[in-house]
Amino acid sequence: MSSNPTLTFLVGLLVLIVFFWYFVTDFPRRRRILGTVLTFLVLGICIDSFWPERVQKQQAIHPEISDPAKAASAAQPLKYEYKQKINFGLDLKGGTSFLIRLVKEEGRVPTKEVLDQAVEVIRKRVDAYGIGEPVITPEGQDRILVQIPGLEAEKIAEAREQLKKVAKLEFRLVHPQSEQLIAAIEAGQAPIPPGYRIEKEETIRNGKTEESKLLVHSKVDIEGKYVKSGSPMYDQQGYGVSLQFTSEGAKLFGELTSKHVGERFAIILDGKIQSAPVIRDAIWGGNASITGRFTQQEAHNLASVLENPLAVPVVVEEERSASSTLGDDAIRSGIYAGLFGLAAVLIVVALYYRLAGLIAILALVVNVAILLGIMGMFHFVLTLPGIAGIILTIGLAVDANVLIFERLREELAAGKSFPAAIQGAYAKAFTVIFDANATTLITAGILFWYAAGPVKGFSITLIVGVIASVFTAMIVGRNCFDWGISSLGLKGVKMHHLISDKMNIDFLGKRRLWIGLSLSVMIISIACFIYRGEKNFGIDFKGGDMLVLQAKSNVTEAQVRNELGKIGLADSVVQKEHEASGNDYISIRSRNGTAETIEKQLVSALPQAGFQQHKYDHVGTLVGGELARNSAIALGLGILGILIYVTVRFELSFAVGAVVALLHDVIITVGVFALAGRELSLVMVGAILTIAGYSINDTIVVYDRIREGLHSGRKGSIQDIMNASINETLSRTLLTSGLTFLSVAALFFFGGATLNDFAFAILIGIIVGTYSSIFIASPIVLWWSRGTGENLAKTVKKKGESPAVEA
């Protein structure tokens, strides 16, 4: 279906019609049927979008058989292979990524036309490597992202040089008395003639480089833009490059050579004279050559850049490479972590909620299928942080079902019939599910907007996962209950209860103690962060090189540090990592531009280690500074968005409490991260914003119950209503946090070294976020409302009760 646009459009239109019909119909039986049809339609589309496609392999036909019929019979049997529909990032399939910046010339910012031209030039240069499916795309106003999958390690340095080479080609006439005038000029006997300047020429003779000088025109006689194509060649003088001019260039070249027969003209590339042949006769037809001192590879590279010259200089600001082995290990670790986390969550849900838990499991399976389907449908790239996003989604997706089931428990306890309890549970849970997931989407959306590279993949999976979890909980789960009631005569469900209904803990009574404790931990966190200083930041923020080498035999950190000291890089950070797969890796973080020197030194000095490059990251200081600035902006915008949303949906005091709890969680998480001696990286930006979203999600659940209590006119003071609300949501809070903790713990223990920091930060965030939603957010609301002298209950009631939407 995915290959047929018309069919895809018609099925999509049908899904849209059924979706709206489902929400407007008032007949229960029709709604059940529509819900079932909608679920199977969406599930079918999504499975088709990510399921590998069977394609026919190319068959080898024997060239010596001229008869087509005999050739066909002699051909090998048809063979098929499966083509993956979900695109994997370079960190999963191996390859190299370059972030290239166009350099400003004379204070002028490169125009869009110059950027587009540079993209096409670089595309042609990359195509010369014959690598399938490279990604070349503009980033902002002056950057180009180049991703080359499967690039061999020995080709990376060559590709780097080819991508950034400007190849500014010029043709300038040489003064007829060049040698005599230069001698006189150097002797101080004559000035440089007007309209001329001195350029150097290097010539290789008998393996030695000889340098000479030529007096050439200051003004370019023919510009390199008139060169139509360039190709490597070989003649009596050795390897060289054959040039073909455009029609206009051929005319200009012919006129120049006809007027200056017997003179020399210099072919200058990037300010260096490549050759200066004598014009023996007028050259018409538009062909010329550069010969004399090139190796075969140099001639090939020169032809490539001459055929596709860059209009402006470029610099490689960021480079990241990963071996295919790293990708295989990452996929394997991600799958293990995902399966273990999923199994743990499913077992707990099934044991705790029994039949309702089985329905939640079904909804969760559909949720994962929808997530993968949307990624395949819209060609999103799955990265290593993206796998983390999926695993985190497993934990978060259960939250909506937990909210519904806890409401169902309350409705049944109130004496309602099972059908009425189901209807009431879904109606009441919708508001809190909507608010909690909306705040998560705000942070994930800002992360997608400001993020770069792999972190963007994480934000995509989180956004899609949140949307899918709401759909499956409100429609798939509800539909299962409705069919059970109507067709199977389901009369009720049994569940375990984590927290007794009779508990009445005075959380707000000790608010000064909890706030004081939190302030102390926050101060310690800030002090620890300040004490470590630059050690808190990895190369993503401060720039530098990170080289990861795989060692085939045992090598110690001391041996590596000793060798680095010999080349003046003793200040580099060296770490040895041993993964469950049995592989040993040496990670070295060093100054900008030193990774290649380090690798050569270690390979030559420690041959017994059998080093192989596993991963390489290079981040320029400019990119690192921008990342730090953009991360701060992203967090600030996220806080502002949450402040506005919570104020609109609840009240200003609630928004202030939510933001304070959020800052509390972020500061303590970063502080613990610093205390553990870990470094902040690009992926950690995603982790911190995820913690912010999770913190708000948890807080919103408590706020919703407080708002409900104020609307209902429950007796007692504001403090009593808040305490009761926290107690009523305590079971849900602990259960959801525990399940999310389980899924992320699987990522921490089985996700591999690459995602270990990410999972560690999320684990700390879950613990701190659960604490703040109970002990920080509500006390801040209470203090703020008392400090402003407002009647909180009256203010909340003025906003009107949020309409319950029945799913």
PDB file of all heavy atoms in Angstrom, residues 337-366:
ATOM      1  N   ALA A 337      17.537  -3.798  25.853  1.00  0.00           N
ATOM      2  CA  ALA A 337      16.986  -2.891  26.860  1.00  0.00           C
ATOM      3  C   ALA A 337      15.486  -2.726  26.683  1.00  0.00           C
ATOM      4  O   ALA A 337      14.721  -2.725  27.652  1.00  0.00           O
ATOM      5  CB  ALA A 337      17.684  -1.529  26.776  1.00  0.00           C
ATOM      6  N   GLY A 338      15.063  -2.559  25.420  1.00  0.00           N
ATOM      7  CA  GLY A 338      13.636  -2.380  25.137  1.00  0.00           C
ATOM      8  C   GLY A 338      12.818  -3.597  25.543  1.00  0.00           C
ATOM      9  O   GLY A 338      11.761  -3.473  26.172  1.00  0.00           O
ATOM     10  N   LEU A 339      13.298  -4.797  25.184  1.00  0.00           N
ATOM     11  CA  LEU A 339      12.568  -6.022  25.503  1.00  0.00           C
ATOM     12  C   LEU A 339      12.505  -6.255  27.010  1.00  0.00           C
ATOM     13  O   LEU A 339      11.454  -6.633  27.544  1.00  0.00           O
ATOM     14  CB  LEU A 339      13.230  -7.222  24.811  1.00  0.00           C
ATOM     15  CG  LEU A 339      13.108  -7.267  23.286  1.00  0.00           C
ATOM     16  CD1 LEU A 339      13.860  -8.464  22.719  1.00  0.00           C
ATOM     17  CD2 LEU A 339      11.647  -7.327  22.861  1.00  0.00           C
ATOM     18  N   PHE A 340      13.622  -6.009  27.678  1.00  0.00           N
ATOM     19  CA  PHE A 340      13.642  -6.216  29.136  1.00  0.00           C
ATOM     20  C   PHE A 340      12.719  -5.214  29.834  1.00  0.00           C
ATOM     21  O   PHE A 340      11.943  -5.584  30.720  1.00  0.00           O
ATOM     22  CB  PHE A 340      15.064  -6.077  29.669  1.00  0.00           C
ATOM     23  CG  PHE A 340      15.206  -6.473  31.112  1.00  0.00           C
ATOM     24  CD1 PHE A 340      15.456  -7.787  31.461  1.00  0.00           C
ATOM     25  CD2 PHE A 340      15.065  -5.534  32.126  1.00  0.00           C
ATOM     26  CE1 PHE A 340      15.577  -8.157  32.802  1.00  0.00           C
ATOM     27  CE2 PHE A 340      15.182  -5.883  33.460  1.00  0.00           C
ATOM     28  CZ  PHE A 340      15.441  -7.206  33.791  1.00  0.00           C
ATOM     29  N   GLY A 341      12.816  -3.943  29.423  1.00  0.00           N
ATOM     30  CA  GLY A 341      11.957  -2.917  30.021  1.00  0.00           C
ATOM     31  C   GLY A 341      10.494  -3.178  29.742  1.00  0.00           C
ATOM     32  O   GLY A 341       9.641  -3.049  30.630  1.00  0.00           O
ATOM     33  N   LEU A 342      10.178  -3.568  28.498  1.00  0.00           N
ATOM     34  CA  LEU A 342       8.793  -3.857  28.127  1.00  0.00           C
ATOM     35  C   LEU A 342       8.267  -5.039  28.922  1.00  0.00           C
ATOM     36  O   LEU A 342       7.142  -5.004  29.449  1.00  0.00           O
ATOM     37  CB  LEU A 342       8.714  -4.141  26.629  1.00  0.00           C
ATOM     38  CG  LEU A 342       7.331  -4.470  26.065  1.00  0.00           C
ATOM     39  CD1 LEU A 342       6.382  -3.302  26.251  1.00  0.00           C
ATOM     40  CD2 LEU A 342       7.420  -4.857  24.586  1.00  0.00           C
ATOM     41  N   ALA A 343       9.076  -6.100  29.037  1.00  0.00           N
ATOM     42  CA  ALA A 343       8.646  -7.286  29.772  1.00  0.00           C
ATOM     43  C   ALA A 343       8.382  -6.953  31.238  1.00  0.00           C
ATOM     44  O   ALA A 343       7.379  -7.389  31.823  1.00  0.00           O
ATOM     45  CB  ALA A 343       9.709  -8.377  29.658  1.00  0.00           C
ATOM     46  N   ALA A 344       9.278  -6.170  31.841  1.00  0.00           N
ATOM     47  CA  ALA A 344       9.103  -5.814  33.255  1.00  0.00           C
ATOM     48  C   ALA A 344       7.830  -5.013  33.472  1.00  0.00           C
ATOM     49  O   ALA A 344       7.056  -5.285  34.409  1.00  0.00           O
ATOM     50  CB  ALA A 344      10.325  -5.012  33.743  1.00  0.00           C
ATOM     51  N   VAL A 345       7.581  -4.037  32.592  1.00  0.00           N
ATOM     52  CA  VAL A 345       6.380  -3.204  32.716  1.00  0.00           C
ATOM     53  C   VAL A 345       5.123  -4.043  32.522  1.00  0.00           C
ATOM     54  O   VAL A 345       4.146  -3.934  33.285  1.00  0.00           O
ATOM     55  CB  VAL A 345       6.427  -2.040  31.705  1.00  0.00           C
ATOM     56  CG1 VAL A 345       5.080  -1.320  31.653  1.00  0.00           C
ATOM     57  CG2 VAL A 345       7.527  -1.050  32.076  1.00  0.00           C
ATOM     58  N   LEU A 346       5.131  -4.907  31.506  1.00  0.00           N
ATOM     59  CA  LEU A 346       3.942  -5.712  31.203  1.00  0.00           C
ATOM     60  C   LEU A 346       3.620  -6.675  32.351  1.00  0.00           C
ATOM     61  O   LEU A 346       2.448  -6.871  32.697  1.00  0.00           O
ATOM     62  CB  LEU A 346       4.157  -6.493  29.909  1.00  0.00           C
ATOM     63  CG  LEU A 346       4.332  -5.656  28.635  1.00  0.00           C
ATOM     64  CD1 LEU A 346       4.380  -6.559  27.406  1.00  0.00           C
ATOM     65  CD2 LEU A 346       3.228  -4.623  28.496  1.00  0.00           C
ATOM     66  N   ILE A 347       4.644  -7.283  32.931  1.00  0.00           N
ATOM     67  CA  ILE A 347       4.412  -8.225  34.038  1.00  0.00           C
ATOM     68  C   ILE A 347       3.796  -7.504  35.235  1.00  0.00           C
ATOM     69  O   ILE A 347       2.814  -7.976  35.834  1.00  0.00           O
ATOM     70  CB  ILE A 347       5.742  -8.912  34.438  1.00  0.00           C
ATOM     71  CG1 ILE A 347       6.186  -9.867  33.323  1.00  0.00           C
ATOM     72  CG2 ILE A 347       5.587  -9.659  35.759  1.00  0.00           C
ATOM     73  CD1 ILE A 347       7.575 -10.441  33.531  1.00  0.00           C
ATOM     74  N   VAL A 348       4.339  -6.351  35.592  1.00  0.00           N
ATOM     75  CA  VAL A 348       3.815  -5.606  36.744  1.00  0.00           C
ATOM     76  C   VAL A 348       2.381  -5.161  36.492  1.00  0.00           C
ATOM     77  O   VAL A 348       1.504  -5.289  37.360  1.00  0.00           O
ATOM     78  CB  VAL A 348       4.714  -4.390  37.049  1.00  0.00           C
ATOM     79  CG1 VAL A 348       4.079  -3.518  38.124  1.00  0.00           C
ATOM     80  CG2 VAL A 348       6.096  -4.849  37.493  1.00  0.00           C
ATOM     81  N   VAL A 349       2.114  -4.627  35.288  1.00  0.00           N
ATOM     82  CA  VAL A 349       0.763  -4.152  34.962  1.00  0.00           C
ATOM     83  C   VAL A 349      -0.235  -5.303  34.992  1.00  0.00           C
ATOM     84  O   VAL A 349      -1.349  -5.183  35.530  1.00  0.00           O
ATOM     85  CB  VAL A 349       0.759  -3.463  33.584  1.00  0.00           C
ATOM     86  CG1 VAL A 349      -0.670  -3.201  33.108  1.00  0.00           C
ATOM     87  CG2 VAL A 349       1.526  -2.148  33.649  1.00  0.00           C
ATOM     88  N   ALA A 350       0.165  -6.461  34.407  1.00  0.00           N
ATOM     89  CA  ALA A 350      -0.747  -7.612  34.373  1.00  0.00           C
ATOM     90  C   ALA A 350      -1.035  -8.137  35.783  1.00  0.00           C
ATOM     91  O   ALA A 350      -2.185  -8.482  36.103  1.00  0.00           O
ATOM     92  CB  ALA A 350      -0.141  -8.713  33.506  1.00  0.00           C
ATOM     93  N   LEU A 351      -0.022  -8.206  36.635  1.00  0.00           N
ATOM     94  CA  LEU A 351      -0.220  -8.717  37.995  1.00  0.00           C
ATOM     95  C   LEU A 351      -1.030  -7.745  38.842  1.00  0.00           C
ATOM     96  O   LEU A 351      -1.843  -8.165  39.671  1.00  0.00           O
ATOM     97  CB  LEU A 351       1.131  -8.992  38.654  1.00  0.00           C
ATOM     98  CG  LEU A 351       1.957 -10.156  38.078  1.00  0.00           C
ATOM     99  CD1 LEU A 351       3.306 -10.253  38.774  1.00  0.00           C
ATOM    100  CD2 LEU A 351       1.193 -11.470  38.214  1.00  0.00           C
ATOM    101  N   TYR A 352      -0.815  -6.449  38.643  1.00  0.00           N
ATOM    102  CA  TYR A 352      -1.455  -5.449  39.492  1.00  0.00           C
ATOM    103  C   TYR A 352      -2.909  -5.201  39.091  1.00  0.00           C
ATOM    104  O   TYR A 352      -3.797  -5.144  39.942  1.00  0.00           O
ATOM    105  CB  TYR A 352      -0.662  -4.141  39.435  1.00  0.00           C
ATOM    106  CG  TYR A 352      -1.114  -3.102  40.433  1.00  0.00           C
ATOM    107  CD1 TYR A 352      -0.718  -3.181  41.765  1.00  0.00           C
ATOM    108  CD2 TYR A 352      -1.943  -2.047  40.058  1.00  0.00           C
ATOM    109  CE1 TYR A 352      -1.115  -2.233  42.696  1.00  0.00           C
ATOM    110  CE2 TYR A 352      -2.354  -1.097  40.977  1.00  0.00           C
ATOM    111  CZ  TYR A 352      -1.944  -1.190  42.293  1.00  0.00           C
ATOM    112  OH  TYR A 352      -2.352  -0.261  43.204  1.00  0.00           O
ATOM    113  N   TYR A 353      -3.159  -5.063  37.776  1.00  0.00           N
ATOM    114  CA  TYR A 353      -4.507  -4.719  37.314  1.00  0.00           C
ATOM    115  C   TYR A 353      -5.279  -5.909  36.742  1.00  0.00           C
ATOM    116  O   TYR A 353      -6.433  -5.758  36.342  1.00  0.00           O
ATOM    117  CB  TYR A 353      -4.431  -3.617  36.256  1.00  0.00           C
ATOM    118  CG  TYR A 353      -4.116  -2.262  36.831  1.00  0.00           C
ATOM    119  CD1 TYR A 353      -2.909  -1.628  36.549  1.00  0.00           C
ATOM    120  CD2 TYR A 353      -5.013  -1.608  37.661  1.00  0.00           C
ATOM    121  CE1 TYR A 353      -2.618  -0.379  37.083  1.00  0.00           C
ATOM    122  CE2 TYR A 353      -4.733  -0.362  38.198  1.00  0.00           C
ATOM    123  CZ  TYR A 353      -3.531   0.245  37.903  1.00  0.00           C
ATOM    124  OH  TYR A 353      -3.242   1.481  38.436  1.00  0.00           O
ATOM    125  N   ARG A 354      -4.646  -7.077  36.611  1.00  0.00           N
ATOM    126  CA  ARG A 354      -5.295  -8.305  36.148  1.00  0.00           C
ATOM    127  C   ARG A 354      -5.916  -8.125  34.764  1.00  0.00           C
ATOM    128  O   ARG A 354      -5.204  -7.829  33.808  1.00  0.00           O
ATOM    129  CB  ARG A 354      -6.312  -8.766  37.183  1.00  0.00           C
ATOM    130  CG  ARG A 354      -5.661  -9.016  38.549  1.00  0.00           C
ATOM    131  CD  ARG A 354      -6.655  -9.600  39.550  1.00  0.00           C
ATOM    132  NE  ARG A 354      -6.023  -9.745  40.851  1.00  0.00           N
ATOM    133  CZ  ARG A 354      -6.637 -10.283  41.902  1.00  0.00           C
ATOM    134  NH1 ARG A 354      -7.897 -10.713  41.805  1.00  0.00           N
ATOM    135  NH2 ARG A 354      -6.005 -10.388  43.056  1.00  0.00           N
ATOM    136  N   LEU A 355      -7.241  -8.280  34.643  1.00  0.00           N
ATOM    137  CA  LEU A 355      -7.869  -8.174  33.320  1.00  0.00           C
ATOM    138  C   LEU A 355      -7.667  -6.788  32.715  1.00  0.00           C
ATOM    139  O   LEU A 355      -7.355  -6.654  31.522  1.00  0.00           O
ATOM    140  CB  LEU A 355      -9.364  -8.485  33.425  1.00  0.00           C
ATOM    141  CG  LEU A 355     -10.160  -8.357  32.103  1.00  0.00           C
ATOM    142  CD1 LEU A 355      -9.627  -9.311  31.051  1.00  0.00           C
ATOM    143  CD2 LEU A 355     -11.649  -8.592  32.349  1.00  0.00           C
ATOM    144  N   ALA A 356      -7.831  -5.761  33.526  1.00  0.00           N
ATOM    145  CA  ALA A 356      -7.620  -4.405  33.029  1.00  0.00           C
ATOM    146  C   ALA A 356      -6.165  -4.224  32.570  1.00  0.00           C
ATOM    147  O   ALA A 356      -5.876  -3.515  31.596  1.00  0.00           O
ATOM    148  CB  ALA A 356      -7.956  -3.382  34.112  1.00  0.00           C
ATOM    149  N   GLY A 357      -5.240  -4.899  33.264  1.00  0.00           N
ATOM    150  CA  GLY A 357      -3.837  -4.837  32.879  1.00  0.00           C
ATOM    151  C   GLY A 357      -3.599  -5.466  31.520  1.00  0.00           C
ATOM    152  O   GLY A 357      -2.777  -4.969  30.734  1.00  0.00           O
ATOM    153  N   LEU A 358      -4.319  -6.566  31.217  1.00  0.00           N
ATOM    154  CA  LEU A 358      -4.176  -7.190  29.898  1.00  0.00           C
ATOM    155  C   LEU A 358      -4.656  -6.249  28.796  1.00  0.00           C
ATOM    156  O   LEU A 358      -4.074  -6.202  27.703  1.00  0.00           O
ATOM    157  CB  LEU A 358      -4.970  -8.510  29.865  1.00  0.00           C
ATOM    158  CG  LEU A 358      -4.473  -9.612  30.811  1.00  0.00           C
ATOM    159  CD1 LEU A 358      -5.368 -10.845  30.698  1.00  0.00           C
ATOM    160  CD2 LEU A 358      -3.024  -9.980  30.483  1.00  0.00           C
ATOM    161  N   ILE A 359      -5.720  -5.504  29.087  1.00  0.00           N
ATOM    162  CA  ILE A 359      -6.200  -4.507  28.122  1.00  0.00           C
ATOM    163  C   ILE A 359      -5.159  -3.411  27.937  1.00  0.00           C
ATOM    164  O   ILE A 359      -4.910  -2.953  26.820  1.00  0.00           O
ATOM    165  CB  ILE A 359      -7.554  -3.931  28.596  1.00  0.00           C
ATOM    166  CG1 ILE A 359      -8.628  -5.014  28.548  1.00  0.00           C
ATOM    167  CG2 ILE A 359      -7.953  -2.716  27.748  1.00  0.00           C
ATOM    168  CD1 ILE A 359      -9.975  -4.581  29.099  1.00  0.00           C
ATOM    169  N   ALA A 360      -4.523  -2.993  29.034  1.00  0.00           N
ATOM    170  CA  ALA A 360      -3.465  -1.983  28.941  1.00  0.00           C
ATOM    171  C   ALA A 360      -2.286  -2.495  28.125  1.00  0.00           C
ATOM    172  O   ALA A 360      -1.671  -1.748  27.354  1.00  0.00           O
ATOM    173  CB  ALA A 360      -3.006  -1.588  30.345  1.00  0.00           C
ATOM    174  N   ILE A 361      -1.968  -3.790  28.276  1.00  0.00           N
ATOM    175  CA  ILE A 361      -0.869  -4.389  27.503  1.00  0.00           C
ATOM    176  C   ILE A 361      -1.192  -4.362  26.018  1.00  0.00           C
ATOM    177  O   ILE A 361      -0.340  -4.029  25.173  1.00  0.00           O
ATOM    178  CB  ILE A 361      -0.610  -5.826  27.983  1.00  0.00           C
ATOM    179  CG1 ILE A 361      -0.010  -5.805  29.387  1.00  0.00           C
ATOM    180  CG2 ILE A 361       0.292  -6.572  27.017  1.00  0.00           C
ATOM    181  CD1 ILE A 361       0.102  -7.167  30.034  1.00  0.00           C
ATOM    182  N   LEU A 362      -2.445  -4.720  25.675  1.00  0.00           N
ATOM    183  CA  LEU A 362      -2.859  -4.667  24.272  1.00  0.00           C
ATOM    184  C   LEU A 362      -2.726  -3.253  23.722  1.00  0.00           C
ATOM    185  O   LEU A 362      -2.212  -3.046  22.611  1.00  0.00           O
ATOM    186  CB  LEU A 362      -4.304  -5.159  24.147  1.00  0.00           C
ATOM    187  CG  LEU A 362      -4.917  -5.090  22.737  1.00  0.00           C
ATOM    188  CD1 LEU A 362      -4.151  -5.997  21.782  1.00  0.00           C
ATOM    189  CD2 LEU A 362      -6.395  -5.492  22.784  1.00  0.00           C
ATOM    190  N   ALA A 363      -3.163  -2.276  24.504  1.00  0.00           N
ATOM    191  CA  ALA A 363      -3.058  -0.884  24.085  1.00  0.00           C
ATOM    192  C   ALA A 363      -1.596  -0.460  23.915  1.00  0.00           C
ATOM    193  O   ALA A 363      -1.248   0.290  22.998  1.00  0.00           O
ATOM    194  CB  ALA A 363      -3.747   0.037  25.098  1.00  0.00           C
ATOM    195  N   LEU A 364      -0.730  -0.976  24.786  1.00  0.00           N
ATOM    196  CA  LEU A 364       0.690  -0.638  24.708  1.00  0.00           C
ATOM    197  C   LEU A 364       1.336  -1.221  23.453  1.00  0.00           C
ATOM    198  O   LEU A 364       2.152  -0.565  22.798  1.00  0.00           O
ATOM    199  CB  LEU A 364       1.413  -1.154  25.959  1.00  0.00           C
ATOM    200  CG  LEU A 364       2.888  -0.800  26.097  1.00  0.00           C
ATOM    201  CD1 LEU A 364       3.077   0.707  26.115  1.00  0.00           C
ATOM    202  CD2 LEU A 364       3.465  -1.425  27.353  1.00  0.00           C
ATOM    203  N   VAL A 365       0.969  -2.443  23.098  1.00  0.00           N
ATOM    204  CA  VAL A 365       1.492  -3.063  21.868  1.00  0.00           C
ATOM    205  C   VAL A 365       1.046  -2.267  20.644  1.00  0.00           C
ATOM    206  O   VAL A 365       1.837  -2.004  19.726  1.00  0.00           O
ATOM    207  CB  VAL A 365       1.025  -4.534  21.772  1.00  0.00           C
ATOM    208  CG1 VAL A 365       1.390  -5.121  20.410  1.00  0.00           C
ATOM    209  CG2 VAL A 365       1.645  -5.357  22.891  1.00  0.00           C
ATOM    210  N   VAL A 366      -0.226  -1.871  20.627  1.00  0.00           N
ATOM    211  CA  VAL A 366      -0.729  -1.046  19.520  1.00  0.00           C
ATOM    212  C   VAL A 366      -0.002   0.293  19.499  1.00  0.00           C
ATOM    213  O   VAL A 366       0.321   0.824  18.429  1.00  0.00           O
ATOM    214  CB  VAL A 366      -2.261  -0.832  19.666  1.00  0.00           C
ATOM    215  CG1 VAL A 366      -2.777   0.133  18.594  1.00  0.00           C
ATOM    216  CG2 VAL A 366      -2.999  -2.158  19.560  1.00  0.00           C
TER     217      VAL A 366
END
